[in-house]
Amino acid sequence: PRPGPAWPGTRLPRPAGGGLARRPAAASRRWTPSGALRAALITFGIVAGSAAAAFLGYFASDLPAAHDLSTVAVPLSTYIYDRAGEHLLYTLEDERRELITLAQVPPLMQDATVAIEDHSFWTNPGIDVGGIVRALQVNLAKGGIAQGGSTITQQLIKTRLLGDEPTLTRKIKEAMLAIEATRTFSKKQILEMYFNQIFYGNQAYGLKAAAKTYFGVADLAQLTLGQIALLAGLPQAPSEYDPIQNAPAASARRVQVLDAMLDQGYITEAQAIAAKNEPIKVTPASTSLYAPHFTFRVREQIINVLGEKAAYRGGYRIFTSLDWNMQQLAEKEVRDHVNNLKGSNVNNAALITMDPTTGEVPAYVGSKHYYDRPPQVQGHCTLAGLPARPCRFQPPPAHRAL
């Protein structure tokens, strides 16, 4: 028979009281401590995430891009040469700097810098949290700024993009950019930019200028371990550790660098001892100046054509019309002529030679001697005029990406 209303299998059980059965799901809506905690954590996460996003957004609003490290113009020296480009007459510079590649930097120089400035450089994300904490502890104990926590990347960011304003805002921006720079550039690229950027004191910016300024070394491969350690120790406090003005402090700082290199396995104990015993022999920085009357008139023309900022920071090579051999003969002729006429009350003279077909000046002597300053001589004043075509310009080398 077909099932109907009386079929036993279709009947629903009734509760004893005769009403409908209640669904047990109602019990799941009860509020429990674990549920409250979970909800609180979710709410806190949302609020904290929103606050962090707002915090980062505030500091990132006027932040330069990390890739600007490779495109920002780095001040370079402008060099004034004779016509053959073989004799340097003078250098215009706000910052004495020559660009190098990392391949030109001896491995020990790289090791010394990493050891004393940022021992976790090769592995950190641009900042060193442990270093920041250690620096904070030391500074609190000393009651002042006794130790910094900046990595090599942060130092590069500060000097090339942000400046050194001592504010919390700048430090936060510096850290944010350092992390981004580490994602944008390789560690080798960052280290190369650092060696070309950092200040070593005595107007020397970048490692190559520093090696020339302190030791007269043009080829970095010729640096001794003692010289390397001394240079690596300068960027933290160039004036305090200046080997020209404060040799004892420079020597003590060199010991710190060598000890750091030894502790981190870059050198042996025998190497460290030998380097600590190296005498510190430095050559104070000096600026060469030849054919001064001619050269300073050239400088005037450079500034008129390029502007003062480009003249002193543009990295130009200026080739003048000066013939160095002819200039030396002309200077001797002027001195001899004045000496021969001293009995006739002649104290000064000038000489200029000019190519009438081009207007170029191969020799220019404005007085007997530029540094002869008695009233009857006044050697710094020129007694000769100068035609309008003393030099030609060669643009600076293109700024490399590293």
Side-chain angles (χ1 to χ4, degrees), residues 97-121:
R97 176 184 281 111
E98 293 184 56
L99 297 181
I100 55 174
T101 65
L102 191 62
Q104 294 173 272
V105 180
L108 276 178
M109 185 72 229
Q110 300 178 39
D111 295 338
T113 298
V114 169
I116 196 63
E117 290 291 339
D118 183 6
H119 68 89
S120 67
F121 170 74

Side-chain angles (χ1 to χ4, degrees), residues 79-372:
Y79 300 95
I80 303 175
Y81 294 96
D82 67 345
R83 69 191 309 149
E86 297 176 353
H87 195 85
L88 178 63
L89 303 178
Y90 194 57
T91 304
L92 306 179
E93 54 196 4
D94 285 339
E95 300 180 3
R96 185 181 301 123
R97 176 184 281 111
E98 293 184 56
L99 297 181
I100 55 174
T101 65
L102 191 62
Q104 294 173 272
V105 180
L108 276 178
M109 185 72 229
Q110 300 178 39
D111 295 338
T113 298
V114 169
I116 196 63
E117 290 291 339
D118 183 6
H119 68 89
S120 67
F121 170 74
W122 296 109
T123 57
N124 68 46
I127 61 173
D128 180 6
V129 177
I132 294 173
V133 172
R134 288 191 297 272
L136 180 61
Q137 292 173 338
V138 171
N139 293 336
L140 288 174
K142 298 287 186 180
I145 304 299
Q147 180 176 321
S150 295
T151 63
I152 283 174
T153 311
Q154 287 177 272
Q155 293 178 51
L156 176 63
I157 293 290
K158 177 179 69 174
T159 55
R160 186 168 286 194
L161 295 182
L162 296 181
D164 57 358
E165 183 183 6
T167 64
L168 178 61
T169 298
R170 195 266 301 165
K171 289 296 291 184
I172 293 172
K173 291 181 177 181
E174 177 187 292
M176 293 171 63
L177 275 175
I179 293 172
E180 185 60 29
T182 305
R183 295 174 181 156
T184 305
F185 301 99
S186 71
K187 289 289 187 175
K188 288 186 176 181
Q189 289 173 313
I190 290 172
L191 191 58
E192 180 177 296
M193 287 187 280
Y194 175 89
F195 279 129
N196 281 316
Q197 177 70 37
I198 208 69
F199 180 52
Y200 287 86
N202 285 290
Q203 202 61 21
Y205 290 79
L207 178 61
K208 186 164 186 179
K212 283 186 175 181
T213 296
Y214 293 109
F215 305 119
V217 174
D219 181 1
L220 299 179
Q222 302 302 315
L223 291 170
T224 67
L225 178 56
Q227 291 171 335
I228 283 172
L230 189 147
L231 291 175
L234 287 175
Q236 187 183 88
S239 298
E240 182 179 346
Y241 302 131
D242 181 358
I244 297 172
Q245 301 295 330
N246 195 350
S251 179
R253 177 62 171 169
R254 183 177 68 173
V255 169
Q256 291 179 349
V257 175
L258 291 167
D259 285 344
M261 295 180 73
L262 178 61
D263 291 343
Q264 296 170 43
Y266 291 121
I267 57 175
T268 66
E269 185 171 0
Q271 286 177 303
I273 293 173
K276 289 176 184 179
N277 290 327
E278 277 188 31
I280 296 179
K281 297 179 181 179
V282 294
T283 304
S286 61
T287 301
S288 60
L289 172 62
Y290 298 94
H293 296 99
F294 175 84
T295 299
F296 287 147
R297 294 300 297 270
V298 169
R299 180 179 63 179
E300 291 176 14
Q301 184 186 1
I302 295 170
I303 293 174
N304 287 337
V305 173
L306 300 176
E308 186 167 358
K309 182 176 180 180
Y312 278 84
R313 300 166 69 93
Y316 287 86
R317 301 294 190 269
I318 310 296
F319 299 92
T320 69
S321 60
L322 194 80
D323 182 309
W324 180 241
N325 292 328
M326 190 177 293
Q327 175 69 19
Q328 290 179 295
L329 290 173
E331 291 177 2
K332 181 178 183 304
E333 183 66 24
V334 168
R335 290 193 300 270
D336 290 347
H337 185 70
V338 172
N339 290 334
N340 290 336
L341 295 176
K342 272 193 176 295
S344 301
N345 199 29
V346 174
N347 298 295
N348 206 354
L351 185 154
I352 183 171
T353 63
M354 183 178 67
D355 185 335
T357 61
T358 64
E360 292 184 344
V361 177
Y364 182 99
V365 184
S367 69
K368 181 185 70 171
H369 197 285
Y370 182 80
Y371 296 103
D372 198 353

